[in-house]
Amino acid sequence: MRVLGVDPGSRVTGYGLIEERNREISFIEAGLVKPPEKMPFSQKIHWIFQGLVKILDRCAPDAVAVEDLFYAKNAKSSLKLGHARGAALIAAGQHDVPVFEYTPLEIKKSVVGYGRADKEQVRSMVNIMLRLKKQVPLDASDALAAAICHVNSSRLKALTQKSLG
């Protein structure tokens, strides 16, 4: 199973692709979709959408794991984040790839074991879990964490269904 994790943001959207085979998770690629700073907001959202479409075309994942909205103090920031999430959801929908959404708390607990972990702690655990020799950008490591969370969640669901069935 190939999973594309997406950490949406209107200034920087992180992505990370992993593959699970025989209960082993391997790193494939990670990076950033980063629109030019001076670009109008509507064009930034389109840039993010187009960037994710290119990644989906190239990588052909089986699932997309997207970080769900968190409750920010600033409503305007939350709305902008929602637009970036929408771009990711539409890109995945256009490719008929199922989308799974996880809260930041779920992702951090799945990867670090602690729901209040900071970005550096998440990146450190992602590096260990995927045996990365080089650090990826923080937003990309958050995206990889979302993908790992989905793999872990899928394993748990499969085990639960097996024991109930």
Side-chain angles (χ1 to χ4, degrees):
M1 169 173 57
R2 290 170 74 102
V3 181
L4 178 67
V6 178
D7 179 37
S10 60
R11 290 183 309 198
V12 178
T13 291
Y15 73 91
L17 184 69
I18 61 172
E19 185 169 40
E20 186 218 15
R21 189 178 295 162
N22 300 325
R23 302 191 49 78
E24 282 287 317
I25 299 174
S26 352
F27 171 81
I28 298 175
E29 72 174 79
L32 304 173
V33 178
K34 193 173 180 179
E37 281 185 41
K38 301 216 185 273
M39 184 178 271
F41 181 72
S42 62
Q43 290 179 2
K44 285 182 179 186
I45 297 304
H46 189 245
W47 180 285
I48 292 165
F49 167 76
Q50 288 179 315
L52 292 173
V53 163
K54 288 175 187 169
I55 293 162
L56 286 156
D57 285 342
R58 186 178 73 249
C59 298
D62 301 303
V64 174
V66 180
E67 186 171 302
D68 203 353
L69 280 175
F70 62 93
Y71 297 100
K73 294 175 186 169
N74 183 331
K76 190 173 181 178
S77 295
S78 290
L79 284 171
K80 286 185 174 186
L81 177 61
H83 292 310
R85 284 185 77 255
L89 298 177
I90 292 168
Q94 180 174 303
H95 286 76
D96 292 321
V97 179
V99 175
F100 299 87
E101 300 175 73
Y102 299 96
T103 66
L105 182 73
E106 289 172 311
I107 294 168
K108 290 173 183 179
K109 283 180 94 173
S110 177
V111 173
V112 181
Y114 174 61
R116 303 277 180 235
D118 64 28
K119 282 183 168 283
E120 289 291 342
Q121 290 171 306
V122 171
R123 179 164 61 183
S124 292
M125 284 307 295
V126 165
N127 284 344
I128 291 167
M129 294 171 91
L130 297 177
R131 298 170 298 285
L132 300 180
K133 293 181 180 24
K134 269 177 47 175
Q135 283 194 350
V136 297
L138 287 171
D139 293 301
S141 68
D142 283 351
L144 288 166
I148 292 167
C149 178
H150 177 67
V151 168
N152 290 340
S153 177
S154 296
R155 286 177 180 167
L156 183 59
K157 284 178 188 168
L159 285 172
T160 305
Q161 289 173 350
K162 190 177 181 180
S163 69
L164 294 176

